[in-house]
Amino acid sequence: MSITEEKITKMTLAEQTTAFESGNEAAAMAAAQINYHVMGYFPITPSTEIAQILDQKKAQGLHDIQLIAADGEHGSAGICYGAALAGARVLNATSANGFMYMLEQLPVQSGTRFPMVLNLVTRSISGPLDIRGDHSDLYFALNTGWLILTASTPQAAYDMNIMALKWSEHPEVRLPVIVAYDGFFTSHQKRKLSYFKDAKTVRAFVGDTPPVGFDHVVDPAQPISVGAHMNGDDLLNNHYQLHLAQERAAEVYQQIAAEFKAMSGRDYPVLELYQMEDAEVALFLLNSAAETAKMIVDKLRAQGVKAGLIRPNVIRPFPAEEIRTALRGVKALLVGERADSYGGKGGNMTHEIRSALKLDPANQTIVLSRVFGLGGKDFYPDEAEAFFNLAMEAMNRGDAAVPFDYFGQVPGDPVHELRPILTPQHGDAFNSGLIQVTPDEATGKLKVKVPPLRSLTAKPKRLAPGHGACPGCSAISSLELFFKGIEGDVVTLFQTGCSYVVTAGYPYTSHKQTFIHNLFQNGAATVAGVVEAFWERKRRGEIDVSDNVTFVMVTGDGGMDIGMGPAIGSALRNHKMIILEYDNEGYMNTGSQLSYSTPLGHQTSTSGVGKAQKGKAFHHKDTPQIMAATNIPYVFTGAEAFPQDLIMKAAKAQWYAQHEGLVYGKVLSTCPLNWRSEDQLGTKILQTAVDSCFFPLYEIEHGVTNITYNPEAKNKRISPQEWLKLMGKTKHMLHDQELLDAFEEEVNRRWERLKLKHESPLL
């Protein structure tokens, strides 16, 4: 029930504390004070910090939120929806392509009317990949049925996260809410903010859970069916009800904003109108860009120009009536858009504003549209002034000479045309002639002859010098070692991850041969398409190239989490390609969050160590065994510390990928930065991981397992503790006997099973 205006005016301000926080810190603070039941999440820059901060607070015992690391954003959306169905209060956070990946789930949640709050830390959508902020992801949210708040400052991010939950759960609304704020501009920049000193203040404001009258699926005495399919008549009625809920949400928001103002002293009207009382020219800007433009409004006002600014706090439901009212005296408005509706002659806000004004016949406002600031391109005060100049020019002309355009684009200069620094190498340049692979008809396996490693040093590297990998990172050196065993030309696809980021930043590339990037949701399927098209075009005589081309997908362990489905699908179809995973036991390129390959107990930025938790809570994924279950011809593990073994397996992998089908290989890769180990100890750490049997070296050839290095047989087996003590991320485990025993027990169990498979071809 809404609070009356009389009661609002009698409320006193709650006690608050001042801090300097970023938008992500502010959102996490609000979430912890609310104490949600569940957060399903998957890390993606720049929203990842929210889960990381909440994990830190969880380790300190500051909240009880169940943080569930999903296999990808699609999975995280499903976790959140399921928790909402159970009557829980639910939180999520994402950005850009992560939002796109979960997109199909969002209308399910709004269409069945289950509340939750999603922080959308806005970022440019690929491709090409850019991790900085614009609104191309936000605009895809407009048709999901979710309510949308836009926060221009960390203070707004904190406050709106609190208001969003109350709005979402209002019995006359019952819709999920997005709180959108700008990636890096708002998410990471610290600003002064006030937050409620006592979390009880926040919880009293949002109210009890679950709200009275809400259906959920956890009461056997009152069974319900959720999501039964509908025919057209029923679906029309369903969507009409959602439409009515959006309409009602506009009124409810104003009630909640008034209650929040009475409690906090901070006002969030549907539209923030800055100097709009008598404005003749104005800008319409979302989020942080509006903060920049305010100083230009003041400057122009001092010069006698009647300038103003409109910044919405709510864009769903769209505040059409408020916009019509605000623009009645405005002669020219420029709408700045950090995203384009391609082919539509303007971004989404432009079209919605023009549509709103069309219903006011007396309004003669000239509306210009400019796309700006894509991919995190900074927006400076002089650019805001340029926007005002465009609006004033249109006001003086009486029309818009150029109604829609991009702002800040720069034409290329032929003088600076990029040219290759190195002469492309291909074919014989990568054929050493020193590696021999022949099938053994008697055993059905391959015989491989590999020369001493120094004999292959003359073979060109696949990557040019100058990549940006961290000191001590073994991912790049492991890849180069693997490629020493590959003869001839390669086409490589790198999924999003460290090795991609450090080797291919436009306009430069470290790749000497053809390189492709695709998101780690779908790399394997992309390579499969390349492979099949290559061979089909060659069969038709459309291309004249050598048969000696090897197609390789390079992925981190994150890519084999979120991209596991396409990888398994490609394996089952048995395309002629190699999937090579470098496993550094975490999502390192987004900030060292846990992956499903992170071992039990290991500390990451989302499996913290403290009085309330002990690092990662479950065992690591045995990806080679999963891939072997698809019956592909060859699976292997490798480590840079055993170079001959890895090169031999690379040679086998190439033969199978060219003659029989898909190959999967997993290479353990050190990450000194996030393992908190010494740069120069990489080889020792890998050697120790193998000798402790944590990372055994073996191959599975046509379903038959062969251990290629047995530390027990060589009297070199050591305790896993010897491996753990070399890394800062695991030293806490040495002082926790229960955790240590559980880790060692699993290492021993997997090793004993592997030995049994080695001894029996039927296993």
Side-chain angles (χ1 to χ4, degrees):
M1 181 177 294
S2 63
I3 193 167
T4 65
E5 185 174 342
E6 180 182 355
K7 289 182 179 179
I8 290 173
T9 59
K10 292 181 180 179
M11 291 179 67
T12 58
L13 294 181
E15 187 176 3
Q16 300 179 58
T17 299
T18 300
F20 283 87
E21 305 282 5
S22 68
N24 284 345
E25 289 170 328
M29 170 67 78
Q33 290 184 321
I34 290 169
N35 201 27
Y36 283 87
H37 294 94
V38 171
M39 180 183 186
Y41 71 92
F42 189 83
I44 182 170
T45 305
S47 63
T48 303
E49 282 190 328
I50 297 173
Q52 291 177 189
I53 296 164
L54 284 171
D55 182 81
Q56 293 166 8
K57 292 179 182 293
K58 180 72 176 287
Q60 296 165 8
L62 298 179
H63 64 77
D64 300 319
I65 303 171
Q66 295 301 308
L67 300 169
I68 303 175
D71 56 307
E73 289 89 356
H74 196 271
S76 78
I79 290 168
C80 289
Y81 182 54
L85 295 179
R89 281 181 164 160
V90 185
L91 176 73
N92 200 347
T94 193
S95 303
N97 292 79
F99 181 73
M100 295 292 286
Y101 193 34
M102 66 170 64
L103 195 61
E104 75 160 5
Q105 182 66 65
L106 302 189
V108 176
Q109 185 134 3
S110 60
T112 52
R113 307 288 296 282
F114 284 90
M116 72 165 282
V117 175
L118 168 64
N119 280 275
L120 178 58
V121 185
T122 63
R123 185 189 114 179
S124 180
I125 287 178
S126 319
L129 184 68
D130 188 308
I131 67 167
R132 292 165 296 182
D134 64 30
H135 296 153
S136 51
D137 51 3
L138 173 60
Y139 283 7
F140 276 94
L142 296 174
N143 293 327
T144 60
W146 287 49
L147 304 171
I148 303 174
L149 297 172
T150 55
S152 62
T153 64
Q155 183 70 68
Y158 172 77
D159 293 341
M160 287 184 176
N161 264 276
I162 296 170
M163 290 192 291
L165 180 61
K166 188 176 182 72
W167 197 24
S168 179
E169 291 182 345
H170 192 284
E172 297 179 42
V173 176
R174 294 183 56 169
L175 288 172
V177 179
I178 289 170
V179 179
Y181 54 92
D182 291 347
F184 291 108
F185 296 112
T186 304
S187 65
H188 284 63
Q189 294 177 1
K190 290 180 180 288
R191 292 181 65 174
K192 182 179 177 181
L193 64 83
S194 298
Y195 64 91
F196 298 108
K197 189 172 183 179
D198 192 341
K200 292 179 182 177
T201 302
V202 175
R203 293 171 194 168
F205 177 78
V206 296
D208 295 331
T209 181
V212 176
F214 273 59
D215 292 327
H216 56 77
V217 299
V218 293
D219 185 358
Q222 298 186 42
I224 63 171
S225 295
V226 179
H229 83 88
M230 291 182 175
N231 292 322
D233 289 344
D234 293 322
L235 189 66
L236 185 68
N237 288 335
N238 171 277
H239 288 0
Y240 179 65
Q241 291 174 8
L242 197 159
H243 154 72
L244 292 178
Q246 285 267 352
E247 295 284 296
R248 180 64 182 129
E251 302 173 28
V252 171
Y253 173 79
Q254 303 215 34
Q255 297 171 9
I256 292 173
E259 293 176 36
F260 189 81
K261 179 181 178 181
M263 181 178 73
S264 67
R266 294 183 291 277
D267 190 16
Y268 293 95
V270 172
L271 292 182
E272 180 187 355
L273 303 176
Y274 189 74
Q275 302 278 27
M276 285 297 297
E277 296 83 358
D278 61 345
E280 293 182 340
V281 291
L283 303 185
F284 183 98
L285 295 169
L286 295 183
N287 284 354
S288 59
E291 300 299 308
T292 301
K294 286 178 181 178
M295 65 180 70
I296 301 303
V297 173
D298 296 339
K299 176 182 176 180
L300 292 175
R301 283 277 172 174
Q303 296 172 358
V305 178
K306 294 181 178 180
L309 174 73
I310 301 175
R311 186 191 62 76
N313 285 311
V314 182
I315 59 172
R316 279 295 180 272
F318 188 72
E321 183 56 42
E322 290 86 349
I323 286 172
R324 283 192 286 270
T325 300
L327 292 177
R328 279 192 184 132
V330 175
K331 297 177 181 177
L333 173 75
L334 188 142
V335 182
E337 306 261 25
R338 270 198 153 117
D340 191 4
S341 179
Y342 303 108
K345 305 290 186 184
N348 294 84
M349 291 296 102
T350 298
H351 295 310
E352 297 196 1
I353 290 169
R354 285 172 173 161
S355 177
L357 296 182
K358 192 69 175 176
L359 296 179
D360 182 3
N363 187 286
Q364 299 297 315
T365 304
I366 302 164
V367 179
L368 298 85
S369 179
R370 292 296 182 270
V371 173
F372 77 103
L374 302 187
K377 183 176 170 62
D378 287 323
F379 182 62
Y380 295 105
D382 62 329
E383 294 173 318
E385 189 166 5
F387 277 4
F388 272 112
N389 288 336
L390 289 170
M392 287 188 283
E393 178 185 328
M395 177 180 67
N396 294 331
R397 280 175 51 96
D399 65 4
V402 182
F404 168 71
D405 201 355
Y406 274 56
F407 178 86
Q409 72 274 21
V410 179
D413 186 345
V415 173
H416 301 296
E417 180 183 357
L418 294 173
R419 294 176 177 83
I421 297 173
L422 303 175
T423 302
Q425 296 173 296
H426 65 93
D428 289 341
F430 292 101
N431 281 324
S432 69
L434 301 175
I435 299 173
Q436 298 179 16
V437 183
T438 55
D440 186 331
E441 294 182 4
T443 63
K445 298 181 179 180
L446 297 179
K447 289 183 177 180
V448 182
K449 288 186 178 181
V450 175
L453 184 58
R454 89 176 47 161
S455 300
L456 295 173
T457 56
K459 191 173 181 178
K461 292 184 176 182
R462 304 284 179 169
L463 294 169
H467 60 71
C470 301
C473 171
S474 70
I476 302 300
S477 53
S478 295
L479 292 175
E480 285 286 17
L481 185 61
F482 173 81
F483 280 125
K484 290 295 184 187
I486 303 292
E487 299 279 80
D489 295 320
V490 297
V491 173
T492 57
L493 180 144
F494 279 54
Q495 289 184 310
T496 306
C498 289
S499 290
Y500 156 63
V501 171
V502 303
T503 60
Y506 183 83
Y508 304 107
T509 180
S510 298
H511 297 267
K512 293 183 180 179
Q513 293 207 285
T514 296
F515 156 81
I516 307 165
H517 164 255
N518 201 358
L519 305 167
F520 47 23
Q521 294 94 319
N522 215 19
T526 304
V527 177
V530 172
V531 168
E532 297 307 320
F534 172 85
W535 290 112
E536 180 60 18
R537 292 196 65 200
K538 186 172 173 62
R539 185 188 70 80
R540 296 186 185 191
E542 295 176 0
I543 54 175
D544 182 18
V545 294
S546 168
D547 290 344
N548 192 27
V549 179
T550 306
F551 298 89
V552 184
M553 184 190 89
V554 175
T555 177
D557 46 309
M560 291 303 289
D561 283 348
I562 191 172
M564 196 70 190
I568 289 177
S570 297
L572 292 170
R573 297 188 299 268
N574 204 32
H575 301 282
K576 292 180 177 179
M577 56 186 278
I578 298 171
I579 296 177
L580 182 65
E581 173 189 349
Y582 62 94
D583 174 15
N584 49 26
E585 301 182 344
Y587 301 155
M588 301 312 184
N589 75 298
T590 53
S592 184
Q593 299 81 25
L594 72 85
S595 79
Y596 288 3
S597 291
T598 304
L600 174 74
H602 286 220
Q603 185 176 22
T604 71
S605 61
T606 51
S607 58
V609 175
K611 65 180 182 180
Q613 63 185 36
K614 303 176 180 180
K616 185 160 176 266
F618 53 96
H619 289 294
H620 61 290
K621 180 171 65 177
D622 197 344
T623 319
Q625 293 295 322
I626 294 172
M627 295 301 292
T630 63
N631 295 315
I632 55 180
Y634 190 55
V635 171
F636 70 89
T637 64
E640 188 181 1
F642 297 81
Q644 291 292 118
D645 178 80
L646 181 55
I647 290 173
M648 184 175 296
K649 289 170 178 173
K652 281 189 176 183
Q654 179 176 33
W655 192 94
Y656 279 118
Q658 289 186 344
H659 293 86
E660 292 191 11
L662 193 139
V663 171
Y664 167 80
K666 186 184 187 83
V667 178
L668 187 63
S669 173
T670 58
C671 179
L673 177 66
N674 294 309
W675 290 13
R676 287 185 283 159
S677 59
E678 297 182 40
D679 297 349
Q680 70 273 20
L681 293 183
T683 300
K684 181 178 180 180
I685 292 172
L686 294 175
Q687 173 89 44
T688 308
V690 174
D691 283 341
S692 68
C693 296
F694 167 77
F695 192 84
L697 299 181
Y698 66 96
E699 61 188 2
I700 304 173
E701 199 168 355
H702 291 137
V704 178
T705 299
N706 174 43
I707 296 174
T708 59
Y709 173 82
N710 187 334
E712 290 180 340
K714 296 179 178 293
N715 293 319
K716 290 187 176 182
R717 186 173 183 187
I718 59 176
S719 167
Q721 295 184 45
E722 297 301 311
W723 179 58
L724 298 177
K725 69 172 59 171
L726 295 173
M727 300 169 290
K729 69 167 182 168
T730 52
K731 285 189 176 180
H732 65 281
M733 298 176 66
L734 302 174
H735 307 290
D736 188 323
Q737 196 60 48
E738 182 181 359
L739 182 61
L740 187 61
D741 288 345
F743 177 77
E744 292 187 337
E745 181 182 347
E746 182 65 13
V747 170
N748 290 332
R749 186 185 72 84
R750 295 190 188 191
W751 173 245
E752 293 300 323
R753 290 184 64 182
L754 188 65
K755 288 194 296 184
L756 290 174
K757 291 181 178 183
H758 173 81
E759 294 164 3
S760 173
L762 297 179
L763 292 180

